[in-house]
Each structure stands twice: as structure tokens, then as C-alpha cells.
Amino acid sequence: MRRKKSSAGTTLLLAIFLIIIGGAIYLANSPMFERNAPTIEVADRLYWNLKKPINVVLKDDSGIRHYRVILNDGKSDFVVAESEFESPMKSVEVPVSLPRAGWDRRATHAMMRVETTDASRWNLFKGNHATKTVQLTIDAVKPSAYILANSYKITQGGSALVVFSAKDEHLKDVVIHTNFGKTFKAEPFYKPGYYAALIAWPVTESTFRAWVEATDLANNVTKVHIPLYLKNYRYRRSNITLKDRFLQGKIADLASQFDETANISDPLERFKIINEEIRAKNEALIHKLSENVSDQLIHSWSVKPFYPLKNGKKVASFGDHRFYYYDGKHVSESYHLGLDLASVKMAQVRSSNPGRVVFAGDNGIYGNMPLIDHGLGLYTLYGHCSTLYVAEGDTVMKKEVIAKTGRTGLALGDHLHFGVLVQGVEVRPIEWMDAHWIKDNITNVFEMARRMIDRRENH
């Protein structure tokens, strides 16, 4: 009997033990008793202009039960947001604004403390708790920005220079925006707080407007209009009839080189793909490579007129809008975004100014093509070359021979396609080949800006 009672007692104790262990395991894994503290999504340090509330996001799997936000101006605590939820929420957005009264408006630094508790039954049903402290720098003052000097005018398809000042203790970004969506980067110039930028009016845009935009870390923004006289230009429109000899010759040869046209047998479809899709692909590469601008301060910048081909004769103009027809029907269209020059076959091509080669190789319809960075966002392009004497990464000197003319890519005869780009925008090469234009629009603007900076900084 004693053995039976002892055995029954042991079994009961074991059952109780297993129940306790099972209960503990259940509680440890039950969502009701989750042990993860709520997350508080907000940066550790913020710059605040006081215009917009600070957005704090609270998240928790079991749901947010309570939160409180406290601001301190260095003297007093202010509870600016607090809430208790009967039905816990897994995600809560809390907009934080200044208290309506009592806050020291002269305070430039403050502290924000966020406290929150979730709906978990853990911690003796008190839930999990999280706290985060955020350091605030209060800055409601816009950056100082003004134009020092700029080119007098800009021509449709052309370039201009602007030099300006942008200063702020917490300056974050300085750019030039335009009405057509292009953003131009500015390069630090001469002394801290001053910037220079070449800007461009694309040939395809009928209007132009540009402004400097300076933004600080608190997102205060200052905008300054660049006062340029605008000169529209009527570029040539060319109606070109496609010949079978051209379609079966040059286009057929090119079509065999591209994946997009390798299996296309229709001559007009091949031409359309090459003139539109392949051209867009090649130009996208050019634009990407020519968008870069240094963020290092430059004390001076100058260029001499570009004269890449000795005794070169113009055979095609920049900005020519070409419409292609076959049997009287419109097939395709494109813009010619360079200046075509020709002299003798395989003539030497020279870089008129020093620079760094950012590309040298085959680029589809442009054929063998060097692309050179001359600084300040100015790039020159040399298309259809037969031979290249430079490679990517090379530094070229003034008057150095970089290539020989040819007929690679979409070229019928031996010539040079000379292109000029400003931060990825094709511009009028004729401006950069004109010593008077360079003096009036670049050299003189820099000289005026330097004099003004010296006067301002020395007083």
C-alpha cells in the first residue's frame, strides 16, 4: 500500500512539475508575454526649424499602450504629447511641436525625451518599456545667399556662368534648380562660402529659368533668382529622305553590331531603332559620365577657345532637328547635338585644353569616342574617330593629339563630331570656340566675382 501511495504521489508531483514547465514555456512564447521593447524611430540628433512638427514613430508587436514626449529648453520640462490607448496600436505616429506657452524662444539647443510602454503582460503585467533621448539644435534662420556675378545672357542651347555666396552655420546643400527639372551642382570657389557653376539651356527647351537654392540642416531654404537675359534661337530643321543605299549599307552594317537590331530584317525598323533607341542609350552614357562636378574648392578656372581640328570645315551644325522620310512617309527624328568638322581623312584631333579622359572607346552611333573632363562641369566629346591615342583615366595636355578623325559609328564620311557638355547637357560648341564669348561670359565674370569677394572679406 505504501509503495502504491508513494508511486501515486510521485506521479502527481511529476504531473505538477510538467504543468509548471509547460506553463512557463507557454508564457515565454505567448504573444501576450512578448519581451521585446517597443522601437522608437527618430534620429539621435535633429536640426529643427520649428515650422514643421518632428515626426516620431513608435512600433511594437503587442501594440503601443502608452507614450509620452517631453521637451526641455535647458530650464524646464514640457510634456508636449501623451496618450493612453484602450486598444493598443502596433504603430503610432506622434507629431511633436513646441508647447504653446512657457518655452524659452531664445533657446538654440534643446532635448526631447520619448517614453513608451507596450501592451505585453511581461514584467509582472507592466509591459516592456523604452526611452530615447534626442538632442535638438533649433535653427529657424534661413541661409544667406546672393548672386555676386553672372553672364549677362544665355542663348537657347547655350551656356552661362554664375558665381554666388551661400552661407549658414548649418549649411547642408547648395544647388541650382531650373524650370525644366535639371539640377546643376555648384563648386566651392575662391574662398569658403562662395560657389561657381556653369549652367546650360537645353536646345529642346523653349524657356529657361534658374535659381540658386541653399538649404541648411534644419531645412530652412533660401532661393535666389539668377538674372539672365534670355535669347531664343531658331535652329535649323532638316527634312532628310532615306536612300536604299544608306539603309542597305551603313545601317545594315551597324545593325549587325547591336543586340537590339541583330534579328531585325526590315531596313526602316532597323534605322528607327538605331536612330532612337540606340541613340538614347549612347546619349544616356554620355550624360551620366559628364554630370560629375568636383566638391573641392577651386581658386581659379579658365579655358582657351577649343579648336580640335586644324583647317576643319563645318559640315553640320549644332541643334539641327532632323526629320527622316522614306517614300514621303515620316520614319524617325533626332537632334544633332554637336558640330561636325571635316578636313582631310584621318586628320589629327587635338584637345585644346587640359583635362582628364573619362571615356575612350566605342559608343554606338558615336563610334570611337573620347570624352574629356575640363573641370567645373565642362566636358568635350570627339565622335567617329578612327584611332584613339588616349585611354580612360589619362590626363591630357593642351594641344595634345588624342585621336584621328574617321567614320566609325553612324557616319557616312570621314569627319569629327565635336560636342560640348555642361553637367550632362549638350551646349553650343561655337560659344566655346569663340575667344570673345569666353572672355565676356567666363573670364570677366570670374574676375568681377573675385574682386567683390576680396572687398567683402577684407572689410
Side-chain angles (χ1 to χ4, degrees):
M1 287 293 292
R2 289 179 180 177
R3 288 182 179 179
K4 289 183 179 180
K5 289 182 179 179
S6 176
S7 176
T10 300
T11 302
L12 179 61
L13 289 174
L14 180 61
I16 293 172
F17 177 74
L18 291 175
I19 290 172
I20 292 172
I21 294 298
I25 293 174
Y26 169 77
L27 292 177
N29 292 278
S30 171
M32 295 175 61
F33 290 87
E34 62 93 8
R35 290 169 286 176
N36 297 321
T39 60
I40 302 173
E41 296 182 358
V42 63
D44 296 333
R45 182 180 180 86
L46 289 173
Y47 291 82
W48 192 16
N49 62 17
L50 304 180
K51 296 174 184 177
K52 293 183 179 180
I54 298 173
N55 192 45
V56 179
V57 178
L58 311 175
K59 292 182 179 180
D60 189 84
D61 290 337
S62 62
I64 300 296
R65 186 179 67 191
H66 172 265
Y67 70 80
R68 178 167 55 191
V69 180
I70 302 166
L71 289 179
N72 182 285
D73 61 3
K75 299 178 181 178
S76 306
D77 283 344
F78 298 87
V79 177
V80 293
E82 185 171 17
S83 188
E84 186 100 22
F85 299 103
E86 292 185 5
S87 299
M89 302 177 65
K90 290 191 174 184
S91 180
V92 179
E93 290 190 13
V94 183
V96 178
S97 300
L98 283 184
R100 294 182 179 180
W103 183 266
D104 183 0
R105 294 283 174 173
R106 296 168 297 179
T108 58
H109 292 84
M111 183 271 292
M112 177 175 71
R113 189 169 72 252
V114 182
E115 303 172 349
T116 184
T117 305
D118 66 15
S120 172
R121 303 294 179 86
W122 189 253
N123 194 24
L124 299 177
F125 294 88
K126 294 179 181 178
N128 302 293
H129 187 72
T131 301
K132 184 167 186 176
T133 299
V134 179
Q135 300 298 322
L136 301 176
T137 298
I138 297 174
D139 179 6
V141 180
K142 293 182 178 182
S144 166
Y146 54 87
I147 306 298
L148 282 165
N150 58 268
S151 306
Y152 169 68
K153 71 176 180 179
I154 187 169
T155 301
Q156 183 180 6
S159 315
L161 172 67
V162 59
V163 182
F164 60 93
S165 171
K167 297 181 179 181
D168 189 276
E169 182 182 358
H170 308 125
L171 191 64
K172 178 176 68 174
D173 194 26
V174 178
V175 295
I176 296 172
H177 288 296
T178 62
N179 62 304
F180 47 90
K182 170 69 178 178
T183 298
F184 292 95
K185 303 171 187 175
E187 193 164 343
F189 172 69
Y190 197 45
K191 293 183 179 181
Y194 299 95
Y195 299 84
L198 291 172
I199 56 178
W201 181 355
V203 67
T204 54
E205 296 293 333
S206 59
T207 61
F208 181 86
R209 184 167 55 88
W211 61 94
V212 172
E213 190 164 301
T215 308
D216 65 19
L217 292 171
N219 288 321
N220 297 298
V221 179
T222 297
K223 299 179 182 180
V224 184
H225 173 69
I226 302 173
L228 291 164
Y229 172 74
L230 306 183
K231 181 180 179 182
N232 287 89
Y233 191 91
R234 180 174 293 180
Y235 287 93
R236 180 181 178 185
R237 171 185 170 131
S238 299
N239 296 323
I240 301 172
T241 300
L242 297 171
K243 304 294 185 181
D244 289 329
R245 181 179 177 183
F246 170 67
L247 295 172
Q248 300 296 342
K250 188 66 178 183
I251 294 301
D253 291 342
L254 279 177
S256 64
Q257 301 175 25
F258 305 131
D259 293 339
E260 294 89 340
T261 52
N263 298 316
I264 303 297
S265 58
D266 182 81
L268 292 178
E269 187 177 353
R270 284 191 304 210
F271 172 77
K272 183 177 177 64
I273 292 173
I274 290 172
N275 192 52
E276 297 177 11
E277 294 181 23
I278 304 298
R279 180 184 295 276
K281 179 180 177 181
N282 301 153
E283 290 177 351
L285 174 63
I286 293 169
H287 297 162
K288 180 180 179 181
L289 292 172
S290 60
E291 283 183 337
N292 296 323
V293 177
S294 172
D295 58 1
Q296 299 300 310
L297 186 144
I298 57 169
H299 289 87
S300 63
W301 185 84
S302 63
V303 291
K304 297 293 184 182
F306 286 90
Y307 191 56
L309 191 61
K310 186 178 180 179
N311 298 323
K313 181 182 178 181
K314 183 181 75 172
V315 293
S317 301
F318 172 84
D320 187 4
H321 194 179
R322 297 173 174 176
F323 294 82
Y324 296 91
Y325 296 86
Y326 185 82
D327 283 345
K329 294 182 180 180
H330 178 256
V331 175
S332 182
E333 65 181 88
S334 62
Y335 281 89
H336 185 248
L337 298 175
L339 182 67
D340 285 355
L341 301 170
S343 60
V344 297
K345 288 184 178 181
M346 300 184 70
Q348 291 183 337
V349 178
R350 296 179 182 271
S351 175
S352 302
N353 288 279
R356 182 177 61 88
V357 180
V358 296
F359 180 85
D362 178 74
N363 187 29
I365 66 168
Y366 288 87
N368 293 326
M369 182 199 83
L371 181 63
I372 300 176
D373 177 4
H374 300 284
L376 203 65
L378 182 71
Y379 292 75
T380 53
L381 176 156
Y382 309 82
H384 308 312
C385 297
S386 58
T387 305
L388 301 182
Y389 294 117
V390 293
E392 182 179 334
D394 285 354
T395 297
V396 298
M397 306 304 293
K398 179 181 177 181
K399 296 185 178 180
E400 181 177 340
V401 176
I402 59 173
K404 284 187 175 180
T405 62
R407 47 175 298 185
T408 57
L410 187 54
L412 289 178
D414 186 296
H415 72 277
L416 171 68
H417 175 94
F418 177 56
V420 181
L421 296 102
V422 168
Q423 292 197 39
V425 178
E426 293 90 348
V427 295
R428 293 159 55 87
I430 196 67
E431 292 180 343
W432 296 96
M433 300 171 76
D434 184 344
H436 292 292
W437 184 90
I438 292 174
K439 184 176 186 299
D440 292 342
N441 293 275
I442 306 298
T443 308
N444 290 351
V445 174
F446 272 130
E447 289 179 355
M448 180 185 298
R450 274 192 291 267
R451 289 195 300 269
M452 294 180 68
I453 293 171
D454 286 337
R455 285 199 300 267
R456 291 175 183 272
E457 294 299 311
N458 292 333
H459 281 79

